[in-house]
Amino acid sequence: MANLETQVLIIGGGATGTGIARDLALRGIKCILAEKDDINAGASGANHGLLHSGSRYVASDAEAAIECREEGEILKRLAPHCIDNTGGIFAAVSGDDEKYISDFPSMCQKCGISAKPIDIKEAKELEPVLSEKTIAAYLTEDASIDPFMLSLENMAQAVSLGSSYMRHAKAIEFKIENGKIKYTKLINSKTGEETKVFAEQIVNAAGAWAGEMAELASVTIPMVYSKGSLVITQKRLTKRVINRLRKASDADILVPGGAVSIFGTTSIRINTLDAIYPTVEEVDFMISEGAKMVPILETTRYIRAYAGVRPLISLGAKKGDDRSVSRGFVLLDHTENGVDNFITITGGKLTTYRLMAEKTADLVCRHLGISATCKTREEPLPSTTHGKWTEPAMTPKMWMQKQKTDDILLCECEMISKSAVDSLIESAKQSGDPALKVLGLRSRIGKGPCQGAFCSLRIAAYMYDKGELNLDSGISDIKFFLNERWRGERPLQWGTPIIQSEIAEAIHCGFLSIEL
Amino acid sequence: MFFSISFKISLAIFVLGTLYRIINWFRFKIGTDALSFTMIDRIKSGVIGIFKTIFSLKIFSIIKVLILDVVLQIKIIRADKWRWIMHMCIFYGFMLLLLMHAFENQITKALFKNYASTLNPFMFLRNLFGAIVIFGVLIAVLRRKKTPKILTNAHDSFAIFLLFSIMLSGFVLEGLKIISSPIFDEMVSSYISGSDDITPLKAYWAKKFHVVFKEKININDEKLLSEGESSHIDNCASCHSMPETAFISYPFAVSFKHFGNTLNDFRVDRWLWYFHVLSCFLGLAYLPFSKFFHILSTPINLLLEPAEEEKNKVTSRIIGMDACTHCGVCTENCSVAQIYQVTQNPNILPSEKLASIKLLSRGKKVEREKLNEIAEGSFICTNCYRCTKVCPSGINLDDLWTASKNTLIQQGYFEPHNWIAQKSPSEWAETVKKKKDEPSDLIDNPEIFYGCVQCSTCASVCPVVAASNGNEIDLTPQQVMNLLRMGLKDLAMASKMVWNCTTCYMCEENCPQGIRVTDIFYELRNKAYIRFKDVKENV
Amino acid sequence: MSRIELKCDLLVIGSGIAGMAASLFAANRGIKTIQIGKTNTLSFTSGLMDVLAVHPIEEKRLWKNPWDAIDTLKKDISGHPYSKVSKDTIEKAFKELVAFLKSADVPYANYQNKNVNIITPIGTLKPTFFVPESMLNGVSALEEKKPCLIIDFYNLKGFSALQIKETLKDKWQNLRTAQIKFLDSSKEQFAEQMAYDLEKPKNLDKLAKEISPHIKDAEILGIPAILGVKRHSSVLSKLQELLGVKVFEIPTIIPSVPGIRLKKAFEDKLQDIGVQSFYSQEVIQVFHKDDFVFDVTGAASMFKIRTKGVILSTGRFFGGGLSADREKITETIFNLEIYGPFLRKVWHELDFFAPRGHNINNCGIETDEYFHPIDKSGKVIFNNLYAVGSILAHNDWTRMKCGTGVSVATAYSAVNAFLNQKG
């Protein structure tokens, strides 16, 4: 069993965890980030990719609204490569709460959020897919953000400053001595290999799994899980982010993401974190509800659906407690639970991830007795090769620019060539063995219409040729990758997707007999 | 006097005009291969070529063609029977009139000893032939009205108008002559001795021949009429048939009767005679400059075309253009004609492009704007050969298009694939990044590609993909579709795949999901041309 | 617009293996037959012909002897198309088909009347029954674990000899691999195009020269299925001669050359025996009054077909025989009753590779014993309409490995039933 030493161990490789890693690294503090699966495997990778202007929260949570506004402005300035500054429209349709509509501008104004009224005709001109029944529309500052690129770039900078990232490393034990965690035992879920990490501070940024992690240190965090599902359309339906102008509810946000659009969400209370997948019922509900705002949702082709879990924390009696920085997110110092070097950060939104990281890092520094100040408010997020592959339509552009005929495409849908796969393999190898899913997470592989049916085979063959796969590991790799894709395809099986999955089954089962 | 002077003038114009046109056959040039020959060379070679053809075995096949395609117009009857009827009516109706009526002194009289224009069957036949021509003209007008693809230019309208006025004036003139008492009087003074009482004859002619007399004549007096009849038989009947058989002019005459005196007083028949004759002479003078010139150029071209001599090919091209009657059949069959609806550039249509190329062949300076239009039309042409196949005048249009493209290239108007290939797809995409674009239902509509299941059959069956080496191919058809799906149209537009596509439709036919791959490529090319052409000067 | 009306006794709709087989059987019996369908269906098949290899699928029970498996299957799944045909029928049907293919120079064979394992491009083993003769060498070589060389081609995607070797490591130690550059290797390679290239002797010589130095102690060579299309047999024997070792083909991912060989064989030879085939055509309207009358359209034509009987072999979703919207599954031409209008949420399992298979694969058309489609009450819908092939219900062909067998056997039965009915 390997032993590792570090100043800070961060558990959880979502936006918050990677954000903390970068924040700390910029303050000169080295850390290890251990993630039980891979970057953004939880809620950070299963959301709209929406950079909120704050308008959505003006009624329910003015404080969160203001945070969103401020953080949105900072990110647009410092991480423009991760953001598509689309602007947004809040649109109400007939039947929506008229009082909310009339109060909306003044609520926005109170939070300093821009919301410019436009007439219906103009709104229809800007976004022709809006319903004929639209009765009110406002222009807002919402934007779309690529959460994968964001987390990958955060982590990449932390790594470049001396921190490290371990994927498939699940924390299974905290060794507590004298009210302190002496070491954390990690297990590699692929190889079964165990590692002990001796860290001065442990940050629990495990998102929905924060409760489970805290439990390892015998700390109880009262958590409630809310599952939210989303669907991806095959074509981009709007230029801007479209929000339904009503009290925040289900199936009311449509966010453009490169060449596609993402629509959601649902919110379903679940008790365990075992089965997080979108269901047929959720998809059908979202489509019929969403079609009221954007009717084309009823007929457009969908590529896949996915689901994430929002961790909600009921802090009950301790209302107004200073540990609750805002109702948006929760930062817990477990000193008072008897564990001195253990901090939990959870909840919050993608938009405010930087602020959450800043507050957490501040607390870590206090614990460590270091007086370094936060730099992420001013320092731009660098663009690296690790993050660039996630951007839709990026790979074909780069490939066409080079125009090397020998550099053939392994993934046809998203046009990812041999050289791009080489680069992805290099990037993935920084934190473990490359596998299809690992490459998929860092790129657009498997995200096109074929959903991995063809590219999984071609890339696996290529990886064998490069010596990156051996024995029959490719078979399980392909199965694992396709099954992961399948969860998102399953609720959308009608029209062309059912043809697509029939072909996939004919190839993989009928011909390759991979199921036997 | 008037007749012979005006005839001589128009004949002179006709002869000079014809000579001018013939000389131009050897003077004008289109195609880069034409540049190296002098006019004298071409005349020599042309004359020799024609004689060679005449005195070779080929002449039999040419006679066959002449009979089938020129005399019987078999090509047209296959394509459109109404058009055939039109052509036959106009051509043969007019020819018969020409021979029987216009050249009555030279031809008809020589053949028929007792010919008189007012005698049957000649009178009847004249009306019949005239009616046939008018019927043909009416079909021509209706056809041009009913087929929107066929454009009508000034020459077409003028030719139709001229024919129609010659025919109509002839009929009206004949009608006026029937009722004319002055002509009656002239005839009486020429053929009947002055002492005779012509009242009975007048009565008889007023009743039977509808001559309108100033003085009151009792046409119901049986005795008078029977006297008139015998006088008629003695003096007139040998030259005059009953007017009813002039079945078109006769109704005119009857309807003119009410104001016959006025017409007779003013001798309107004479004025109309001038008009009729002048129209005919105008037609004669205009003929070398009109579409009717094809009567001459088509057969000559048929004689010259088989000559393999390079010089004659060049000449044949020019004669071929003169053989065009602007009938529009090529345009009706053109495989890219529908693009005209989009760009409104008439030079896409072969029938119109030919007129523009005539301009080009004269070697005079053509405005840049016009050249741009001709180039656009020319390079959209796929040389699919359909126009050549259907041309009733047998013009080798395919060769003409190739030649004119060469001329355009020589003048700096490159084929789109040439100047588009000067930049890579990425560079083009960057160049037109900010340019606004009219979205198309086909290439800008991702739903068109929704059906794609990424099976790569299109790439697998594509002969271009198979035959190209690594440098000649940049994308497969499937990859082009995926670029479009991702909204990267500008990258697809300039790709080698799109521009090297032979439009063989293998991809489209083999696509299991029925995606219109080839149609999409074709549209991409046209859109690329429109989208890139404004900025191409910077290339 | 008045359209040309074509007349026939039997119209076969579909150009997959079921449609091709039905056309063949009909023509062999002197029935005036017209076939319409897509152009390219067979290139999406692997070219392997399954009879039955897995049953019950939940247990992943593999059968060496498909005929025994059929006996058990008949007892277990009464709705399965095999339960309506005798083993004798299946055997006769295949005999007729294989004889036809042999005459078209696409020889097929089985191995000791048993299911065989064919190596796939990812190194798994695919159990199947009739295989192209060029693959049989590989079957015995694997059983005998002969020293073998497997090659792949640079820039032919989705085929790695190394992957096959690695995946088969514990089953076949005597494997070596080599990567060969094929002619113009600077661009992407497509199996179909390579196959046509190799029909030119010059190219085949060049390829043999490339491979030769790698043979060494190998007694047999495994190569992606690219050895010619129409002249496959001669390409294969020439290559064996040039290399001095036996050669076997390994099927590739679609579009696959063995599939294309089948397609070409049917396209050429069906015409010779009197089938009028129209590919790239789709039915747009059907009228029924004793005879069926179809309005048919294609890329450049529109016509009517008047027929006394119809064999429906349009396949499932990819073939176009079935289509699904959010609520239901529909048969696309006659709007026939579909077995299994389950709710969409139970169409598919959560696990794509779930052993019991997806419910939707048992959806399809139910028929009487003559393959007349029936409605819910069990009544025959049209007595001159027959449904055959993968569109039939209770037939999860991808899991059971019974696709070709069901298609061929049901086509055979339906054609005979039509013949008997016609009298």
Side-chain angles (χ1 to χ4, degrees):
Chain A
M1 189 185 304
N3 288 348
L4 295 171
E5 256 179 69
T6 182
Q7 277 177 289
V8 180
L9 171 67
I10 302 163
I11 297 170
T16 318
T18 54
I20 295 166
R22 171 173 181 249
D23 193 308
L24 288 171
L26 284 170
R27 299 186 202 216
I29 298 164
K30 296 205 169 97
C31 51
I32 290 175
L33 190 150
E35 160 59 46
K36 74 175 173 60
D37 189 347
D38 203 349
I39 297 286
N40 283 12
S44 299
N47 56 65
H48 265 114
L50 168 57
L51 192 67
H52 280 288
S53 64
S55 321
R56 184 171 165 84
Y57 302 112
V58 287
S60 60
D61 188 342
E63 210 176 327
I66 293 166
E67 271 174 19
C68 284
R69 188 203 75 211
E70 290 171 353
E71 285 298 307
E73 284 164 6
I74 292 173
L75 291 179
K76 281 178 194 169
R77 201 175 72 235
L78 299 180
H81 57 297
C82 300
I83 291 166
D84 183 1
N85 199 355
T86 58
I89 288 182
F90 273 65
V93 297
S94 60
D96 285 347
D97 181 359
E98 308 244 342
K99 181 155 187 319
Y100 190 88
I101 298 167
S102 59
D103 290 348
F104 182 70
S106 64
M107 291 190 294
C108 286
Q109 205 182 3
K110 265 183 216 153
C111 301
I113 291 166
S114 151
K116 186 180 152 234
I118 48 171
D119 63 45
I120 310 303
K121 202 171 146 244
E122 196 186 341
K124 284 281 291 173
E125 262 164 37
L126 293 175
E127 298 297 351
V129 299
L130 283 174
S131 165
E132 293 299 330
K133 291 180 178 159
T134 306
I135 53 166
Y138 289 87
L139 280 180
T140 59
E141 308 269 302
D142 294 270
S144 83
I145 183 164
D146 180 342
F148 286 94
M149 188 186 285
L150 186 73
S151 296
L152 288 165
E153 300 287 36
N154 269 302
M155 197 64 234
Q157 194 182 18
V159 170
S160 74
L161 294 169
S163 294
S164 62
Y165 166 59
M166 296 169 72
R167 88 174 108 84
H168 298 134
K170 186 180 180 181
I172 48 169
E173 187 193 335
F174 290 127
K175 180 72 182 169
I176 300 180
E177 271 178 23
N178 308 324
K180 279 188 105 162
I181 296 175
K182 190 179 171 206
Y183 64 83
T184 309
K185 197 189 273 181
L186 305 174
I187 184 165
N188 184 315
S189 58
K190 295 274 163 187
T191 60
E193 206 178 311
E194 292 187 356
T195 310
K196 275 185 200 165
V197 180
F198 295 83
E200 291 171 49
Q201 284 290 318
I202 287 92
V203 178
N204 171 15
W209 289 263
E212 280 183 19
M213 284 299 109
E215 212 63 55
L216 290 179
S218 308
V219 175
T220 302
I221 304 175
M223 294 192 75
V224 182
Y225 307 121
S226 162
K227 181 178 76 158
S229 292
L230 304 98
V231 283
I232 308 175
T233 62
Q234 177 151 11
K235 75 170 176 183
R236 180 170 176 155
L237 301 176
T238 61
K239 290 196 189 75
R240 295 165 188 76
V241 175
I242 310 290
N243 269 272
R244 183 95 166 257
L245 176 52
R246 67 175 182 193
K247 206 161 149 275
S249 179
D250 287 347
D252 54 4
I253 309 179
L254 180 66
V255 181
V260 303
S261 283
I262 298 170
F263 180 68
T265 66
T266 55
S267 60
I268 292 171
R269 280 288 167 96
I270 53 172
N271 298 321
T272 70
L273 296 170
D274 301 334
I276 307 161
Y277 58 86
T279 63
V280 170
E281 292 93 330
E282 282 178 284
V283 164
D284 285 355
F285 161 75
M286 280 196 287
I287 290 174
S288 46
E289 180 62 24
K292 292 176 192 160
M293 177 172 79
V294 175
I296 199 177
L297 288 168
E298 193 77 54
T299 50
T300 196
R301 179 178 171 183
Y302 293 93
I303 298 185
R304 69 184 271 107
Y306 57 95
V309 176
R310 307 177 190 91
L312 304 173
I313 292 162
S314 47
L315 287 172
K318 300 204 171 175
K319 206 174 175 186
D321 192 308
D322 61 3
R323 288 172 304 182
S324 168
V325 181
S326 97
R327 276 176 288 173
F329 60 86
V330 182
L331 178 62
L332 302 168
D333 184 344
H334 297 299
T335 311
E336 59 178 64
N337 305 95
V339 190
D340 285 351
N341 59 349
F342 189 43
I343 296 166
T344 293
I345 172 82
T346 190
K349 304 174 196 346
L350 182 63
T351 307
T352 57
Y353 91 96
R354 194 210 59 83
L355 182 66
M356 293 161 71
E358 178 184 335
K359 298 285 179 201
T360 312
D362 284 349
L363 184 59
V364 169
C365 285
R366 277 211 298 282
H367 279 209
L368 291 173
I370 295 172
S371 61
T373 54
C374 174
K375 290 193 177 158
T376 57
R377 253 177 211 278
E378 298 305 331
E379 186 115 345
L381 180 67
S383 173
T384 71
T385 55
H386 301 282
K388 70 175 175 185
W389 304 110
T390 64
E391 188 182 329
M394 177 68 178
T395 35
K397 280 188 214 157
M398 288 175 54
W399 181 69
M400 290 289 284
Q401 219 149 30
K402 282 195 282 175
Q403 288 263 326
K404 275 167 68 185
T405 48
D406 184 44
D407 190 20
I408 63 170
L409 297 182
L410 295 177
C411 158
E412 290 274 352
C413 307
E414 297 289 324
M415 307 187 73
I416 298 164
S417 66
K418 289 195 293 191
S419 68
V421 171
D422 290 343
S423 166
L424 282 162
I425 290 175
E426 281 318 304
S427 179
K429 277 165 93 169
Q430 286 192 356
S431 48
D433 290 334
L436 284 172
K437 195 184 158 197
V438 177
L439 302 186
L441 187 141
R442 283 159 179 75
S443 68
R444 304 282 308 161
I445 291 171
K447 298 194 169 88
C450 97
Q451 289 287 307
F454 290 95
C455 56
S456 62
L457 299 170
R458 296 174 187 149
I459 294 172
Y462 183 67
M463 286 167 76
Y464 271 102
D465 282 349
K466 280 180 69 86
E468 301 292 352
L469 289 173
N470 57 21
L471 300 176
D472 62 357
S473 60
I475 306 298
S476 49
D477 204 15
I478 291 167
K479 281 174 86 167
F480 187 70
F481 181 66
L482 285 180
N483 245 333
E484 138 79 20
R485 295 277 100 196
W486 173 245
R487 282 194 167 196
E489 295 165 69
R490 184 178 161 269
L492 301 167
Q493 293 297 307
W494 70 87
T496 311
I498 207 167
I499 295 174
Q500 190 85 59
S501 63
E502 191 177 77
I503 295 172
E505 200 178 352
I507 294 173
H508 290 271
C509 300
F511 174 41
L512 300 174
S513 302
I514 204 170
E515 86 284 10
L516 291 176
Chain B
M1 187 67 179
F2 162 79
F3 184 88
S4 80
I5 289 177
S6 53
F7 175 67
K8 278 171 187 157
I9 293 174
S10 55
L11 189 67
I13 297 175
F14 169 76
V15 171
L16 290 174
T18 306
L19 272 175
Y20 171 73
R21 290 291 291 264
I22 291 176
I23 289 169
N24 282 346
W25 286 350
F26 302 99
R27 200 161 66 95
F28 292 163
K29 47 190 94 169
I30 192 82
T32 41
D33 50 350
L35 298 175
S36 46
F37 309 123
T38 66
M39 194 169 107
I40 303 298
D41 284 346
R42 279 167 61 187
I43 293 175
K44 261 194 233 159
S45 155
V47 173
I48 296 169
I50 289 174
F51 277 100
K52 263 191 188 162
T53 313
I54 291 174
F55 296 108
S56 73
L57 285 176
K58 277 180 206 150
I59 193 67
F60 295 108
S61 66
I62 287 175
I63 288 171
K64 192 178 147 204
V65 171
L66 274 172
I67 291 171
L68 292 178
D69 286 1
V70 177
V71 181
L72 298 175
Q73 292 287 337
I74 294 296
K75 270 194 182 177
I76 307 184
I77 199 172
R78 279 192 204 124
D80 178 352
K81 65 172 187 291
W82 279 107
R83 227 166 51 81
W84 181 80
I85 294 171
M86 173 201 87
H87 187 272
M88 286 296 158
C89 286
I90 294 179
F91 182 75
Y92 287 104
F94 198 89
M95 275 302 165
L96 288 167
L97 272 181
L98 192 73
L99 298 175
M100 186 191 83
H101 174 58
F103 290 106
E104 56 184 5
N105 293 326
Q106 291 78 12
I107 298 173
T108 328
K109 269 193 186 147
L111 289 174
F112 303 97
K113 283 280 162 314
N114 50 358
Y115 169 81
S117 66
T118 45
L119 208 56
N120 268 336
F122 309 106
M123 189 163 68
F124 168 74
L125 286 176
R126 196 167 56 243
N127 271 264
L128 180 68
F129 298 155
I132 287 174
V133 174
I134 287 196
F135 182 61
V137 168
L138 286 177
I139 299 178
V141 172
L142 276 178
R143 175 173 163 266
R144 288 195 175 265
K145 280 250 168 336
K146 274 193 155 177
T147 323
K149 254 195 198 169
I150 302 177
L151 302 186
T152 302
N153 62 25
H155 275 296
D156 301 326
S157 310
F158 186 64
I160 288 177
F161 173 75
L162 197 61
L163 264 179
F164 191 72
S165 32
I166 291 173
M167 292 303 130
L168 191 68
S169 61
F171 283 126
V172 174
L173 177 60
E174 189 171 29
L176 286 172
K177 276 176 149 180
I178 290 173
I179 60 159
S180 173
S181 55
I183 296 181
F184 179 86
D185 293 342
E186 281 165 23
M187 296 297 281
V188 166
S189 64
S190 310
Y191 292 100
I192 299 173
S193 60
S195 57
D196 290 12
D197 177 14
I198 55 157
T199 319
L201 192 65
K202 273 189 173 176
Y204 184 79
W205 272 68
K207 170 132 183 146
K208 299 280 180 184
F209 286 82
H210 304 281
V211 180
V212 177
F213 294 98
K214 256 212 175 105
E215 65 266 38
K216 198 136 182 84
I217 290 172
N218 187 357
I219 55 164
N220 295 321
D221 183 336
E222 289 296 332
K223 191 168 160 274
L224 202 61
L225 285 175
S226 91
E227 272 177 45
E229 186 174 9
S230 52
S231 168
H232 168 76
I233 293 167
D234 291 345
N235 298 309
C236 319
S238 62
C239 288
H240 285 278
S241 297
M242 290 315 228
E244 283 86 348
T245 46
F247 61 94
I248 296 195
S249 304
Y250 177 74
F252 277 117
V254 174
S255 62
F256 292 155
K257 267 173 106 173
H258 304 286
F259 31 96
N261 280 324
T262 327
L263 294 168
N264 288 343
D265 287 350
F266 286 99
R267 291 306 302 265
V268 178
D269 58 321
R270 259 189 211 162
W271 293 111
L272 201 67
W273 179 82
Y274 285 122
F275 180 81
H276 182 64
V277 167
L278 277 178
S279 300
C280 293
F281 292 165
L282 181 63
L284 177 67
Y286 171 61
L287 196 134
F289 310 99
S290 74
K291 58 199 268 182
F292 297 120
F293 194 61
H294 77 273
I295 298 169
L296 188 63
S297 44
T298 303
I300 291 193
N301 196 29
L302 281 175
L303 289 174
L304 194 60
E305 260 187 344
E308 275 154 26
E309 177 70 32
E310 279 295 317
K311 292 167 203 152
N312 288 344
K313 273 192 187 166
V314 171
T315 305
S316 163
R317 232 173 255 156
I318 306 293
I319 303 180
M321 285 197 280
D322 272 357
C324 171
T325 64
H326 200 246
C327 69
V329 177
C330 47
T331 291
E332 278 182 286
N333 286 281
C334 174
S335 56
V336 295
Q338 63 273 23
I339 299 168
Y340 170 65
Q341 314 295 334
V342 183
T343 64
Q344 291 294 313
N345 177 356
N347 290 293
I348 289 165
L349 310 174
S351 53
E352 312 310 305
K353 184 166 58 178
L354 186 133
S356 300
I357 291 172
K358 264 191 192 175
L359 276 182
L360 212 59
S361 72
R362 289 182 193 167
K364 285 196 189 133
K365 187 138 179 64
V366 180
E367 281 168 60
R368 196 165 177 77
E369 189 57 25
K370 176 83 185 166
L371 272 173
N372 268 325
E373 278 183 21
I374 302 174
E376 177 176 289
S378 295
F379 293 131
I380 281 175
C381 165
T382 61
N383 280 62
C384 73
Y385 200 68
R386 276 203 231 168
C387 51
T388 309
K389 240 165 105 182
V390 297
C391 176
S393 299
I395 310 171
N396 187 350
L397 291 165
D398 204 46
D399 167 65
L400 181 62
W401 307 147
T402 312
S404 57
K405 281 182 196 174
N406 287 338
T407 299
L408 286 164
I409 291 169
Q410 183 224 345
Q411 298 193 11
Y413 291 84
F414 290 107
E415 289 188 68
H417 78 248
N418 263 317
W419 55 262
I420 283 177
Q422 313 252 313
K423 283 188 187 191
S424 74
S426 300
E427 286 165 337
W428 275 116
E430 188 58 32
T431 312
V432 296
K433 196 166 66 179
K434 295 212 172 95
K435 207 181 155 199
K436 276 243 162 71
D437 187 27
E438 277 295 310
S440 126
D441 286 346
L442 197 60
I443 56 177
D444 292 296
N445 181 3
E447 296 187 21
I448 297 284
F449 326 108
Y450 276 5
C452 176
V453 292
Q454 308 292 336
C455 67
S456 73
T457 298
C458 48
S460 188
V461 298
C462 175
V464 177
V465 172
S468 305
N469 67 33
N471 295 321
E472 290 159 347
I473 186 96
D474 49 0
L475 293 166
T476 63
Q478 182 183 358
Q479 287 158 2
V480 175
M481 296 300 113
N482 275 326
L483 281 178
L484 294 176
R485 197 195 80 242
M486 284 187 267
L488 300 174
K489 182 179 65 177
D490 287 343
L491 274 178
M493 277 184 170
S495 77
K496 291 177 193 165
M497 179 69 240
V498 166
W499 285 92
N500 290 346
C501 166
T502 63
T503 59
C504 71
Y505 278 87
M506 282 291 276
C507 47
E508 196 161 321
E509 274 177 26
N510 283 284
C511 176
Q513 295 287 87
I515 294 168
R516 293 165 58 195
V517 188
T518 316
D519 295 340
I520 289 166
F521 279 14
Y522 198 68
E523 173 127 330
L524 272 173
R525 280 197 216 169
N526 291 321
K527 285 280 180 177
Y529 175 79
I530 292 167
R531 194 155 162 71
F532 296 168
K533 70 174 173 183
D534 304 345
V535 287
K536 86 163 195 242
E537 310 305 337
N538 314 330
V539 172
Chain C
M1 193 173 74
S2 69
R3 300 206 188 99
I4 296 172
E5 185 177 283
L6 304 172
K7 288 198 177 92
C8 63
D9 291 335
L10 185 63
L11 173 69
V12 176
I13 309 175
S15 52
I17 191 71
M20 293 296 188
S23 304
L24 167 70
F25 298 144
N28 279 350
R29 280 152 191 74
I31 300 170
K32 187 168 164 28
T33 308
I34 293 181
Q35 181 195 23
I36 60 173
K38 294 183 181 180
T39 308
N40 205 19
T41 321
L42 283 176
S43 70
F44 297 104
T45 66
S46 62
L48 306 173
M49 296 187 178
D50 301 349
V51 173
L52 180 64
V54 186
H55 174 75
I57 54 174
E58 294 88 327
E59 297 169 18
K60 299 185 184 175
R61 183 169 168 202
L62 282 164
W63 294 74
K64 258 286 150 210
N65 185 331
W67 312 108
D68 293 348
I70 289 173
D71 284 337
T72 315
L73 172 74
K74 282 184 175 185
K75 273 180 243 151
D76 296 346
I77 307 176
S78 63
H80 194 283
Y82 274 155
S83 65
K84 299 183 178 74
V85 295
S86 67
K87 272 197 283 185
D88 184 46
T89 302
I90 305 171
E91 274 178 301
K92 275 189 188 150
F94 266 109
K95 202 173 162 196
E96 195 169 330
L97 175 70
V98 169
F100 166 79
L101 288 174
K102 194 170 177 64
S103 76
D105 198 23
V106 183
Y108 268 74
N110 63 46
Y111 186 69
Q112 299 170 356
N113 206 21
K114 280 185 190 143
N115 280 329
V116 293
N117 283 326
I118 293 292
I119 297 172
T120 77
I122 61 167
T124 50
L125 297 176
K126 146 93 182 157
T128 185
F129 192 76
F130 279 104
V131 297
E133 266 183 14
S134 64
M135 294 184 190
L136 270 190
N137 290 336
V139 173
S140 50
L142 170 65
E143 284 198 352
E144 294 159 26
K145 315 234 186 294
K146 282 187 188 153
C148 173
L149 171 72
I150 292 183
I151 58 166
D152 61 18
F153 293 97
Y154 183 68
N155 279 354
L156 174 66
K157 296 194 292 207
F159 194 108
S160 158
L162 258 172
Q163 180 175 11
I164 295 173
K165 177 187 158 180
E166 287 287 320
T167 309
L168 281 175
K169 210 157 209 169
D170 56 350
K171 296 195 182 77
W172 197 352
Q173 287 80 15
N174 257 336
L175 275 186
R176 275 189 302 109
T177 68
Q179 187 163 74
I180 304 291
K181 293 204 167 184
F182 187 84
L183 304 179
D184 178 10
S185 62
S186 68
K187 61 170 184 177
E188 181 170 351
Q189 304 293 327
F190 295 93
E192 181 175 356
Q193 294 168 9
M194 296 165 93
Y196 282 115
D197 282 341
L198 286 185
E199 295 191 347
K200 299 183 190 94
K202 186 180 70 177
N203 293 335
L204 191 63
D205 286 346
K206 209 174 153 208
L207 178 70
K209 279 204 189 86
E210 290 280 336
I211 300 172
S212 258
H214 299 283
I215 297 282
K216 295 175 190 155
D217 64 334
E219 290 171 23
I220 189 162
L221 171 75
I223 182 170
I226 57 157
L227 298 177
V229 180
K230 287 193 178 180
R231 302 179 46 228
H232 165 57
S233 302
S234 70
V235 172
L236 175 68
S237 56
K238 187 80 202 294
L239 185 66
Q240 296 190 136
E241 190 185 305
L242 288 169
L243 294 175
V245 292
K246 288 253 175 218
V247 174
F248 70 96
E249 284 195 313
I250 300 170
T252 60
I253 306 298
I254 58 167
S256 88
V257 172
I260 293 164
R261 285 177 200 140
L262 286 177
K263 172 192 146 178
K264 297 276 178 199
F266 281 114
E267 275 180 5
D268 292 355
K269 298 282 167 176
L270 281 183
Q271 206 133 24
D272 295 350
I273 58 172
V275 177
Q276 248 184 306
S277 295
F278 299 93
Y279 302 118
S280 280
Q281 301 291 338
E282 72 178 304
V283 171
I284 49 173
Q285 234 180 336
V286 186
F287 306 92
H288 180 259
K289 197 187 161 201
D290 300 331
D291 287 359
F292 281 108
V293 179
F294 291 84
D295 272 351
V296 176
T297 184
S301 56
M302 262 233 210
F303 53 92
K304 284 180 191 296
I305 297 176
R306 180 179 293 275
T307 181
K308 297 196 173 70
V310 173
I311 288 189
L312 184 71
S313 51
T314 43
R316 302 184 67 78
F317 298 99
F318 184 43
L322 301 178
S323 79
D325 61 19
R326 271 160 63 195
E327 271 81 39
K328 62 183 184 310
I329 296 166
T330 318
E331 189 280 313
T332 51
I333 293 181
F334 299 91
N335 197 16
L336 299 172
E337 195 93 48
I338 298 287
Y339 162 78
F342 327 106
L343 293 173
R344 196 171 96 241
K345 64 176 179 181
V346 296
W347 282 357
H348 293 94
E349 298 290 307
L350 252 182
D351 176 3
F352 190 62
F353 303 104
R356 61 182 291 243
H358 303 290
N359 272 329
I360 197 163
N361 294 334
N362 285 317
C363 286
I365 294 170
E366 290 194 305
T367 67
D368 70 359
E369 60 192 305
Y370 303 110
F371 297 98
H372 293 116
I374 52 174
D375 63 15
K376 272 210 177 64
S377 63
K379 221 179 87 214
V380 169
I381 301 171
F382 299 113
N383 62 8
N384 51 354
L385 173 66
Y386 303 84
V388 304
S390 62
I391 199 170
L392 298 173
H394 311 289
N395 168 28
D396 190 346
W397 67 271
T398 64
R399 308 287 167 129
M400 297 174 132
K401 322 291 170 198
C402 66
T404 309
V406 164
S407 293
V408 172
T410 55
Y412 188 87
S413 299
V415 168
N416 282 336
F418 173 75
L419 202 61
N420 291 336
Q421 189 181 22
K422 217 176 122 220

